[in-house]
C-alpha cells in the first residue's frame, strides 16, 4: 500500500474552543505500570495491543451533506444500490479447489475477470460488505496508479449472495466529489479502506480523515466515446472516464490542520465493528517495516501504527459528533508492521481483539488482542493468501472476507493473483 497521491480534502478551520491541550505521544500504561512518560518507547513485533492516549485527536464534520447532494440533482435522478445490482456487467469466476489460494478455514471466493486480473492501471485495496434488500454485496475499492489523468478511485459492487454459482457478477463505479451545481471531479486518493454503514460508504483519506459516499445518490452518466477521456460536465453530457455510474461524496470528517505529528494519524485502512454497545468505525495506520517509524514511535520501524475506534450513530449512520466534532472512543498501538486491513473477531463480544491483514512476509493474517501475543497465519506457510488488503467480518460471526492486491504480477489465484475470498472465523480461532 502506498501513500495517497494528493491531499484531496481542504482543511477547515478548527472549531472555536476545541483546543488540543495535552496532545502528545505518551502511551497510557496498563495497570501496574509506572507513571506514564512522554518519551518514545521501543516496541516489540507481535506483542499485545498497547493502550494509546488518543485524547489529542479529533475530526471535524465538513457538513456538506446537503450541499453536495444538491449539486448532483442536475446530473440526473438518484439511483440506489438495488438498481445497480440489476445492471452488473462483469463476471468473476468462482474459485475451485484447484485454483484457490491456500488459507486456514477457506470457504469460498472468486477472482476478477481477465481484464481486471491483468491491469496495472488499477489495484484493489479496501473492502467492505453488507446487505442490500435480500442481496449480499461486497464492495472493493481500487486505486488508479497513473498520474495523468488521475482517475482516482473506483469501487466494484459484487453480488455474493450465491457462491455456489460459476461466477460472481459485479460492476465498477467511479467515486466522485461534487464541485458545483451539476458538476463533479475525481477522488485523488488511495482507497485503502472501506466501511459500509446504512446508506453510507466510508473511505479512508490517507492524510486527512474519512470521506463519506451515499449509496442512494448514485447517478448514471454518459458512456460516449468523448466521455472516455473526460470527467464532469462536457457540453450536454456528464462524463466519468467511460464509467456508466458515479458514486458521489456527500461529506467528510477531517483532522484539523492544528493537529500535527505525533498526534496526527494516517488513515490507511478502515473496518466495521458492531460488537459493543455502540457501533464503531475502525481506522488504522500502515507502517512499513523497512522504513521509518510511524508518527507515534520513531525508534522501531513499522511498529508504531495505531488503531482507532470512532463511534457511529446507529440512527443516522454518521459518526457521533458534539458540535460537529468526533473523538475516538479509544486507541491502541498495534505492534505489527505493514498492516493493510482490520476486522473484529466476531466469535467474541469483547472489543479488544481483532484480525489484522498485513503484507509482511508477503502476506499474513494476525490475530491480536490486548491480552496475548499475536497468532500469525503466514502465506509462506500456506496459511493465508499473498498480499491481503481490506477485510470484513460478518455480523453472524461466521465469515471473514478479504481482498488481495496481487503478488509479483501473477494472474493465477493459487499463486498470488487477485482474489476475494472468505474463511471460517472459528477455524482461525
Amino acid at each position: 500500500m502506498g501513500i495517497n497521491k494528493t491531499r484531496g480534502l481542504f482543511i477547515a478551520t478548527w472549531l472555536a474552543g476545541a483546543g488540543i491541550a495535552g496532545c502528545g505521544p505518551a502511551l497510557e500504561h496498563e495497570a501496574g505500570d509506572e507513571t506514564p512518560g512522554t518519551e518514545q518507547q521501543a516496541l516489540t513485533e507481535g506483542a499485545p495491543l498497547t493502550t494509546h492516549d488518543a485524547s489529542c485527536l479529533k475530526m471535524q464534520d465538513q457538513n456538506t451533506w446537503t450541499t453536495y447532494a444538491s449539486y448532483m440533482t442536475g446530473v440526473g435522478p438518484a439511483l440506489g444500490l438495488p438498481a445497480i445490482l440489476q445492471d452488473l456487467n462483469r463476471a468473476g469466476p468462482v474459485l475451485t479447489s484447484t485454483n484457490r489460494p491456500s488459507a486456514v478455514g477457506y470457504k469460498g471466493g472468486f477472482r476478477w475477470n481477465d481484464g481486471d486480473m491483468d491491469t496495472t492501471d488499477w489495484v484493489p485495496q479496501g473492502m467492505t460488505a453488507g446487505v442490500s434488500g435480500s442481496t449480499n454485496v461486497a464492495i472493493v475499492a481500487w486505486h488508479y496508479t497513473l498520474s495523468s489523468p488521475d482517475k482516482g478511485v473506483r469501487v466494484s459492487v459484487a453480488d455474493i449472495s450465491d457462491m455456489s454459482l460459476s461466477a460472481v457478477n459485479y460492476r465498477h463505479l467511479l467515486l466522485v466529489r461534487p464541485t458545483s451545481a451539476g458538476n463533479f471531479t475525481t477522488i485523488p486518493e488511495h482507497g485503502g479502506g472501506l466501511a459500509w454503514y446504512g446508506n453510507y460508504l466510508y473511505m479512508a483519506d490517507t492524510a486527512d480523515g474519512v470521506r463519506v459516499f451515499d449509496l442512494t445518490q448514485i447517478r448514471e452518466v454518459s458512456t460516449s466515446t468523448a466521455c472516455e477521456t473526460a470527467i464532469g460536465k462536457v457540453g450536454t453530457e456528464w462524463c466519468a472516464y467511460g464509467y456508466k455510474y458515479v458514486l458521489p461524496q456527500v461529506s467528510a470528517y477531517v483532522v484539523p490542520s492544528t493537529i500535527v505529528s505525533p498526534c496526527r494519524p494516517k488513515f490507511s485502512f478502515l473496518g466495521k465493528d458492531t460488537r459493543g454497545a455502540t457501533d464503531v468505525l475502525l481506522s488504522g495506520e500502515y507502517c512499513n517495516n523497512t522504513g521509518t517509524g510511524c508518527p507515534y514511535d520513531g525508534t522501531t520501524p513499522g511498529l508504531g501504527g495505531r488503531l482507532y475506534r470512532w463511534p457511529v450513530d446507529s440512527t443516522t449512520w454518521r459518526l457521533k459528533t458534539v458540535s460537529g466534532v468526533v473523538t475516538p472512543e479509544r486507541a491502541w498501538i498495534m505492534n505489527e508492521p505493514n498492516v493493510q486491513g482490520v476486522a473484529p473477531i466476531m466469535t467474541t463480544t469483547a472489543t479488544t481483539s481483532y484480525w489484522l491483514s498485513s503484507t509482511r512476509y508477503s502476506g499474513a493474517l494476525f490475530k491480536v488482542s490486548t491480552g496475548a501475543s499475536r497468532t500469525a497465519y503466514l502465506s509462506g506457510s500456506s496459511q493465508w493468501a499473498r498480499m491481503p488488503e481490506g477485510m470484513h467480518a460478518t455480523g453472524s460471526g461466521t465469515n471473514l472476507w478479504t481482498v488481495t492486491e496481487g503478488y509479483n504480477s501473477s494472474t493465477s489465484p493459487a499463486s498470488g493473483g487477485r482474489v476475494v475470498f472468505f474463511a471460517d472465523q472459528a477455524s482461525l480461532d
Side-chain angles (χ1 to χ4, degrees):
M1 175 184 290
I3 59 172
N4 73 314
K5 291 168 281 187
T6 61
R7 293 185 63 180
L9 289 176
F10 63 92
I11 304 296
T13 302
W14 182 231
L15 293 177
I20 57 170
C23 179
L27 285 176
E28 291 180 357
H29 288 209
E30 300 288 355
D33 283 355
E34 297 178 358
T35 303
T38 58
E39 73 282 358
Q40 292 179 329
Q41 302 177 21
L43 303 173
T44 302
E45 183 174 350
L49 295 172
T50 306
T51 302
H52 178 64
D53 179 10
S55 60
C56 62
L57 182 57
K58 299 171 179 65
M59 287 196 295
Q60 181 179 356
D61 182 359
Q62 297 296 274
N63 197 27
T64 57
W65 307 92
T66 302
T67 302
Y68 277 7
S70 68
Y71 283 171
M72 295 299 292
T73 56
V75 180
L79 303 173
L81 195 55
I84 306 306
L85 293 170
Q86 296 301 311
D87 192 23
L88 305 179
N89 64 336
R90 301 189 180 207
V94 168
L95 301 175
T96 67
S97 59
T98 60
N99 73 351
R100 70 170 180 85
S102 296
V104 174
Y106 178 90
K107 294 179 70 175
F110 69 96
R111 71 170 180 89
W112 308 103
N113 72 11
D114 290 347
D116 290 331
M117 293 293 282
D118 290 339
T119 183
T120 58
D121 293 355
W122 294 94
V123 178
Q125 296 294 313
M127 181 196 173
T128 190
V131 179
S132 176
S134 60
T135 304
N136 293 322
V137 180
I139 303 179
V140 173
W142 303 61
H143 83 88
Y144 194 60
T145 64
L146 307 180
S147 59
S148 183
D150 187 344
K151 297 181 182 180
V153 179
R154 70 183 186 188
V155 294
S156 301
V157 173
D159 182 348
I160 55 171
S161 298
D162 189 350
M163 296 300 295
S164 67
L165 299 176
S166 61
V168 165
N169 295 319
Y170 67 96
R171 176 182 277 281
H172 301 314
L173 290 70
L174 194 68
L175 298 187
V176 298
R177 179 178 62 84
T179 57
S180 60
N183 216 343
F184 51 82
T185 190
T186 57
I187 305 288
E189 292 294 336
H190 192 73
L194 297 177
W196 179 1
Y197 275 104
N199 293 325
Y200 295 130
L201 182 67
Y202 289 81
M203 186 190 79
D205 182 327
T206 313
D208 294 322
V210 181
R211 299 191 188 221
V212 190
F213 301 81
D214 192 335
L215 292 167
T216 69
Q217 294 293 317
I218 299 168
R219 296 310 203 278
E220 181 177 350
V221 294
S222 175
T223 57
S224 68
T225 301
C227 277
E228 292 180 359
T229 57
I231 185 70
K233 190 172 185 182
V234 180
T236 59
E237 296 182 307
W238 282 273
C239 302
Y241 290 120
Y243 290 90
K244 185 177 180 179
Y245 298 104
V246 295
L247 174 57
Q249 179 178 329
V250 285
S251 198
Y253 297 94
V254 174
V255 178
S257 58
T258 50
I259 296 180
V260 297
S261 182
C263 180
R264 190 181 189 90
K266 294 189 297 183
F267 292 80
S268 303
F269 53 87
L270 300 181
K272 176 179 179 178
D273 192 350
T274 59
R275 293 174 297 178
T278 300
D279 291 350
V280 298
L281 176 72
L282 304 169
S283 74
E285 297 175 307
Y286 170 88
C287 304
N288 195 316
N289 69 293
T290 61
T292 58
C294 255
Y296 168 69
D297 173 59
T299 65
T300 316
L303 299 185
R306 296 165 291 188
L307 178 64
Y308 297 92
R309 292 172 55 89
W310 303 91
V312 175
D313 188 310
S314 60
T315 301
T316 64
W317 302 117
R318 301 179 185 181
L319 298 188
K320 285 188 173 182
T321 60
V322 176
S323 299
V325 175
V326 56
T327 58
E329 182 183 270
R330 65 179 309 177
W332 297 280
I333 305 292
M334 290 182 288
N335 295 309
E336 303 293 351
N338 304 81
V339 179
Q340 305 277 14
V342 61
I345 297 177
M346 298 299 289
T347 55
T348 175
T349 57
T351 58
T352 55
S353 58
Y354 299 89
W355 303 111
L356 301 177
S357 63
S358 173
T359 48
R360 178 77 155 144
Y361 312 111
S362 298
L365 176 71
F366 298 135
K367 179 184 178 182
V368 300
S369 71
T370 58
S373 298
R374 76 176 184 205
T375 299
Y377 300 88
L378 306 181
S379 64
S381 300
S382 299
Q383 297 171 320
W384 204 245
R386 296 282 190 181
M387 308 302 282
E389 294 285 332
M391 292 192 295
H392 175 81
T394 59
S396 63
T398 303
N399 298 325
L400 177 66
W401 285 83
T402 192
V403 60
T404 67
E405 69 174 2
Y407 176 71
N408 282 351
S409 302
S410 174
T411 58
S412 167
S415 58
R418 297 166 175 167
V419 294
V420 178
F421 74 93
F422 62 105
D424 177 43
Q425 289 195 61
S427 298
L428 289 160
D429 271 353

